[in-house]
Amino acid sequence: VQLVESGGGSVQAGGSLNLACEASGYPTAWACMGWFRRVPGKKREGVATIDGYGNTEYTNSVKGRFTLFKDNAKNILYLQMTSLKPEDSAMYYCASDPRWAGSCHTHSPLSRFGYWGQGTQVTVSS
């Protein structure tokens, strides 16, 4: 099982970025998957998750600005980020739990997600 993120970069506040997480080694259709982010010195936090039934959840700070969706045919998880703010700057990680489709939340324990990507940096300047 492998998760490979792409799409990070540097943008000015108000700009947009699209992150992608390509999964290999298992089908994503029934997996709980999500994007997490970490700022140095702080805990990794859940940004958005999607369960195996297609239900999405977003942390409050990104609601209305970020959109999460999954292409099960291509095994890719996407995070569309718009109206970016400097406080969105972080290393973004894709994570997956292919064992259990439900109870997939941004506040789920990190230990639930057995597979993680290497991360992609997002930097938003003011």
Side-chain angles (χ1 to χ4, degrees), residues 2-19:
Q2 189 175 17
L3 301 175
V4 179
E5 300 104 332
S6 61
S10 298
V11 295
Q12 290 190 327
S16 301
L17 283 173
N18 296 319
L19 305 185

Side-chain angles (χ1 to χ4, degrees), residues 1 17 23 25 41 46 53 55 58-59 62 67 70 78 80 84 86 91 94-95 100-101 111 113 116 121:
V1 176
L17 283 173
Y53 309 103
N55 300 306
Y58 300 88
T59 192
V62 308
T67 303
K70 190 168 51 166
Y78 297 98
Q80 292 182 333
L84 283 162
M91 184 70 81
C94 173
W100 186 18
S111 57
F113 298 89
W116 292 84
Q121 180 67 40

Side-chain angles (χ1 to χ4, degrees), residues 45-67:
E45 67 164 345
V47 176
T49 54
I50 182 167
D51 67 16
Y53 309 103
N55 300 306
T56 56
E57 182 177 298
Y58 300 88
T59 192
N60 286 338
S61 64
V62 308
K63 286 180 180 177
R65 300 188 297 120
F66 290 12
T67 303

Side-chain angles (χ1 to χ4, degrees), residues 5 14 17 33 35 37 44-46 63 69 85 116 125:
E5 300 104 332
L17 283 173
M33 299 186 72
W35 286 94
R37 63 188 181 188
R44 195 173 298 193
E45 67 164 345
K63 286 180 180 177
F69 63 99
K85 304 176 181 179
W116 292 84
S125 58

